[in-house]
Amino acid sequence: MDSKMNDSKIIDGKILSSAIRKKIKKFGDELNKKTSKVPGLAVVLVGENPASRVYVKNKIEKTKEVGFNSIEHRLDHDVSEKQLLDLVDKLNEDKNVQGILVQLPLPKHINSDKVLDKIKPIKDVDGFHAQNVGKLWSGLNSLVPCTPLGCSIIIKSILPDLSGKHAVIIGRSNIVGKPMAALLLAMNATVTICHSRTKDLNSVCKEADILVAAVGIPEMVKANWIKKGAIIIDVGINRIEKNNKKILVGDVDYDECFDFCGKITPVPGGVGPMTIACLLLNTLLTAYTQFDEKAPDLSSFLE
Ligand code: NDP
């Protein structure tokens, strides 16, 4: 992968996300001058899942970098569901908290749906609450899940108009696949959603002008699945061992697909950094609402 790092085919999520975070800081500082208030993001981590700890650490660091308040709650793995729900209730009422993120996955004894449903929709910066999901599919203004929002910003930066384009998504999770489909539809693409029961997956993918892979299977998408010139958005983050080294790879076989695609996101350094930028974007956007100020248009963050 390294030999291809400078190629113009590579969509550098680090550069794009850094530009967005700079804008977020600028708008956040202006909002602070106007209201004397600072947006606050509460992150709740339950247990010791190593991947979750890394994600939370990154989110907290980036929250502080843009000048927002970071409120951290680390709970033991055996915390009861009621204790967690009580904490969410407290954060819902806290005027210093504009966004609440409960890091998933939660331990098995806790019902994640119940916890996500408890978060006030206006503070639901992950965009997972049923009210926000319904608004997204109805074309109403809502908080949108961060990873698909980041993917849509990447795609918009390459192809602003998707009229006449066919987008294929592999994966139908509530976190990535389904909201991604809603966003691509809103961008006028013709959308196909694939999943584990899809027949002839490779032939369906070969029809895609834009292919979004969100599966969780290392390097599943091969070169002969790709239409020449397609835009490939690789959401997967898989830890594997190669040549006795532990590395991160996506759901797309990057080396194989590189020569066939038009553009591709690397793993790491593609979608991942955009997810965090969009978490901060959601926090800022909802802070405007909660501080009774008019939020700038989304396009202001992308100029
Ligand atoms: P889920 O496990 O919730 O969903 C995976 C989806 O892939 C399901 O819809 C499943 O189908 C489908 N699938 C599984 N096997 C196949 C197959 N053989 N052929 C076709 N489809 C298949 O995962 P997530 O959506 O949460 O995450 C997907 C990937 O994205 C993971 O690698 C995750 O780590 C990564 N991720 C990355 C983020 C980032 O910031 N970059 C953020 C979130 C996730 P079915 O519904 O039929 O079971």
Side-chain angles (χ1 to χ4, degrees):
M1 194 179 88
D2 286 345
S3 60
K4 292 169 176 164
M5 268 326 270
N6 292 320
D7 198 288
S8 62
K9 275 191 184 183
I10 299 165
I11 304 165
D12 193 328
K14 282 190 268 182
I15 292 178
L16 193 53
S17 67
S18 160
I20 293 172
R21 282 186 280 111
K22 272 190 193 131
K23 287 268 166 66
I24 292 171
K25 176 150 183 24
K26 178 179 156 279
F27 282 112
D29 289 347
E30 282 171 17
L31 183 63
N32 173 252
K33 270 192 198 131
K34 235 175 153 182
T35 64
S36 304
K37 292 178 187 167
V38 178
L41 173 62
V43 177
V44 181
L45 175 64
V46 181
E48 297 290 322
N49 179 320
S52 294
R53 284 177 61 176
V54 174
Y55 296 146
V56 163
K57 184 173 164 275
N58 286 340
K59 287 171 186 173
I60 290 170
E61 261 175 36
K62 296 285 183 278
T63 303
K64 291 178 181 165
E65 262 176 43
V66 296
F68 296 175
N69 287 329
S70 172
I71 302 108
E72 298 153 39
H73 289 273
R74 291 170 193 268
L75 308 177
D76 285 342
H77 178 273
D78 54 5
V79 67
S80 72
E81 184 179 282
K82 173 152 187 341
Q83 282 171 309
L84 180 55
L85 290 171
D86 286 348
L87 172 62
V88 171
D89 254 342
K90 218 175 98 191
L91 296 171
N92 277 338
E93 298 315 315
D94 189 337
K95 294 247 179 313
N96 294 317
V97 171
Q98 277 60 59
I100 303 171
L101 179 148
V102 178
Q103 183 66 44
L104 300 178
L106 288 170
K108 286 200 169 56
H109 66 277
I110 297 177
N111 181 335
S112 306
D113 290 339
K114 219 167 155 181
V115 175
L116 297 179
D117 204 47
K118 191 78 172 169
I119 298 172
K120 261 191 191 169
I122 199 169
K123 295 193 176 186
D124 170 38
V125 281
D126 255 339
F128 296 157
H129 192 284
Q131 193 171 307
N132 282 320
V133 176
K135 282 185 168 180
L136 172 63
W137 280 99
S138 308
L140 299 170
N141 202 13
S142 66
L143 287 164
V144 176
C146 305
T147 300
L149 179 59
C151 295
S152 74
I153 291 174
I154 289 176
I155 295 165
K156 223 174 256 172
S157 74
I158 303 163
L159 260 186
D161 183 12
L162 300 188
S163 302
K165 300 290 179 195
H166 185 188
V168 174
I169 303 159
I170 322 175
R172 57 172 163 181
S173 72
N174 291 332
I175 294 173
V176 189
K178 285 186 205 155
M180 189 73 248
L183 290 169
L184 287 164
L185 268 181
M187 292 162 75
N188 295 322
T190 302
V191 180
T192 303
I193 309 176
C194 304
H195 46 78
S196 65
R197 314 290 174 92
T198 300
K199 262 192 178 173
D200 297 329
L201 181 61
N202 53 345
S203 320
V204 182
C205 292
K206 217 170 163 90
E207 299 286 311
D209 300 302
I210 297 131
L211 179 65
V212 181
V215 194
I217 300 180
E219 300 177 326
M220 180 178 88
V221 176
K222 300 294 178 190
N224 61 0
W225 298 31
I226 306 294
K227 181 179 186 175
K228 199 150 179 48
I231 297 171
I232 303 180
I233 309 294
D234 191 353
V235 180
I237 301 178
N238 308 290
R239 279 158 227 277
I240 63 159
E241 211 169 298
K242 228 181 204 177
N243 307 325
N244 287 329
K245 267 168 95 183
K246 286 201 170 109
I247 57 164
L248 286 183
V249 296
D251 292 338
V252 175
D253 190 326
Y254 184 93
D255 286 334
E256 257 204 22
C257 295
F258 193 86
D259 291 336
F260 292 88
C261 69
K263 294 265 181 192
I264 188 164
T265 57
V267 177
V271 173
M274 291 299 288
T275 297
I276 299 188
C278 288
L279 171 67
L280 302 173
L281 182 59
N282 278 347
T283 305
L284 180 63
L285 292 175
T286 193
Y288 275 97
T289 312
Q290 292 172 53
F291 299 166
D292 293 320
E293 291 290 330
K294 190 178 173 329
D297 196 72
L298 195 60
S299 58
S300 320
F301 295 91
L302 316 178
E303 283 158 2

